Amino acid sequence: MTELYDLVILGAGAAGMGAAQYGARANLKTLVIEEMAPGGQALLIDRLENYPGLPEPVDGYTWAETMRAQAVEFGAEIMASSVSAVHKEDERFIVETGDDPVQAKAVVVATGAKHRHLGVTGETEYAGRGVSYCATCDGPFFKGKRMVVVGGGDSACDEAMFLAKLADKVIMVHRKDRFRAQKSVAARVLANPKIEVRFETVVEEIKGEKSVSAVSLKNLKTGEVYSEPASAVFVFVGSIPMTEGLPADLAKDETGSLVTDDRMETNIPGIFAAGDVRATPFRQVITAVSDGAVAAHCAAQYIDEIEGKAYL
Ligand code: NAP
């Protein structure tokens, strides 16, 4: 039969690594399955400056590597594979992977979220040719050029600040009359002389030939539609939780995020959720790590309960 783990964690981002560290340290035989490099979205952070204990900002890659090393040091195993399905047979979860399936007594879903697309003409056509969802990955290709950033949340504001270091000018387009982002982050954007903010404005079309050369913008207040020259469009309009392959009867909210109780347990006993895939009011590295720690701790209690070893 396939190998049996106490705890299988789906995803090695901040939430998955938090769960791995706490699971392994609780003496659970712990496996993390990740299809990409460990670190998740944290890998893309240019300056992680709001994680406690790090008064000097670090880059996301450095931070993620310390999390990975610490989890492994505590005994967690990491498997590079993708998960295609999770189902329950008797008291065991079977996790189907690109390799052999594995068995788990409890599962933590820490699969995170993927970028939402704008859905305008030209977005798909110019993806990889000026349209991007990752500033640190693609920003350097457009050094000295005009760039458009779309969105009004923390991601858009953080990434606009990063891109402003590279760009001739950043035009920031947001559909509302103020930012959704945290006030301190938004204030930095508004004070940056290289960023020009266009509130109450939407992108109607992304235009170009071989690559992006302009965007068509609409001022929602006046109705004016105009063309804005730009070599790149960076889209940060939120995210979609990644729940593919998970049991269909897992409870979700209206955005598709997994609903948990305060023990991070979903409506299916033994399946826990942590981080960006979970319905939560605040998505930060620190809250993802915390979710992971709570999920692993409560998974350990769940295992004790099903094995008749609960501390009463
Ligand atoms: P978000 O907070 O959901 O913001 C998405 C932004 O995109 C919103 O301003 C939204 O407008 C806009 N938007 C959505 N669909 C749109 C469309 N079709 N056309 C135009 N605009 C559209 O997403 P996020 O910025 O990616 O952040 C996700 C989570 O991660 C948040 O909880 C955030 O706090 C967290 N995060 C934190 C940090 C940090 O602490 N430094 C950094 C990155 C992310 P409306 O405002 O009108 O809805």
Side-chain angles (χ1 to χ4, degrees):
M1 192 47 188
T2 56
E3 189 152 8
L4 172 63
Y5 288 86
D6 293 316
L7 187 61
V8 169
I9 298 160
L10 315 183
M17 285 301 169
Q21 180 175 320
Y22 274 75
R25 196 161 172 271
N27 282 346
L28 299 181
K29 184 172 161 61
T30 299
L31 175 71
V32 186
I33 306 175
E34 169 62 63
E35 60 187 349
M36 316 275 272
Q41 291 196 50
L43 290 174
L44 306 177
I45 298 174
D46 177 39
R47 284 163 53 90
L48 177 58
E49 60 180 18
N50 57 359
Y51 196 82
L54 298 175
E56 288 302 319
V58 295
D59 63 89
Y61 177 85
T62 302
W63 178 83
E65 176 50 25
T66 59
M67 283 289 282
R68 185 205 62 76
Q70 202 172 0
V72 169
E73 183 65 29
F74 278 121
E77 295 172 41
I78 300 182
M79 177 198 266
S81 194
S82 56
V83 170
S84 54
V86 177
H87 44 92
K88 200 170 186 179
E89 284 178 18
D90 303 322
E91 283 297 334
R92 298 277 184 268
F93 293 97
I94 311 296
V95 180
E96 307 281 355
T97 73
D99 302 277
D100 289 337
V102 292
Q103 291 187 78
K105 296 176 187 171
V107 170
V108 174
V109 179
T111 42
K114 63 185 174 198
H115 302 295
R116 182 184 290 136
H117 288 194
L118 258 182
V120 299
T121 304
E123 183 178 19
T124 309
E125 190 182 345
Y126 292 108
R129 294 190 292 140
V131 173
S132 171
Y133 305 86
C134 176
T136 44
C137 319
D138 298 325
F141 294 121
F142 302 98
K143 216 169 174 180
K145 302 272 172 60
R146 282 168 75 86
M147 308 180 190
V148 167
V149 169
V150 192
D154 283 322
S155 298
C157 287
D158 274 356
E159 304 304 333
M161 288 296 291
F162 171 76
L163 291 169
K165 290 187 259 176
L166 304 169
D168 170 45
K169 187 173 201 92
V170 173
I171 312 287
M172 206 166 162
V173 176
H174 181 40
R175 62 187 180 184
K176 295 269 175 62
D177 64 355
R178 60 202 150 100
F179 287 126
R180 175 187 285 276
Q182 298 166 75
K183 288 189 172 59
S184 60
V185 180
R188 266 186 263 171
V189 167
L190 292 168
N192 190 315
K194 286 181 83 179
I195 303 175
E196 189 181 314
V197 181
R198 309 262 172 93
F199 285 123
E200 296 180 279
T201 299
V202 292
V203 175
E204 288 215 318
E205 187 182 348
I206 299 169
K207 300 185 284 194
E209 287 177 14
K210 283 189 177 153
S211 60
V212 170
S213 60
V215 287
S216 179
L217 299 180
K218 181 176 185 178
N219 181 321
L220 295 176
K221 249 173 124 179
T222 62
E224 181 198 0
V225 177
Y226 58 99
S227 187
E228 183 71 45
S231 302
V233 182
F234 289 88
V235 180
F236 302 107
V237 294
S239 51
I240 299 169
M242 296 210 277
T243 57
E244 294 88 353
L246 298 175
D249 50 344
L250 271 176
K252 296 178 188 144
D253 71 3
E254 66 287 352
T255 69
S257 302
L258 297 181
V259 174
T260 69
D261 58 18
D262 58 9
R263 297 160 48 82
M264 305 298 139
E265 194 165 21
T266 66
N267 59 315
I268 299 181
I271 300 188
F272 298 77
D276 284 359
V277 75
R278 187 175 88 83
T280 171
F282 200 35
R283 291 189 166 91
Q284 299 282 301
V285 176
I286 187 174
T287 56
V289 174
S290 165
D291 280 5
V294 174
H297 176 75
C298 294
Q301 289 181 336
Y302 164 84
I303 293 167
D304 282 346
E305 281 161 22
I306 59 171
E307 295 186 338
K309 298 176 194 161
Y311 184 82
L312 300 171

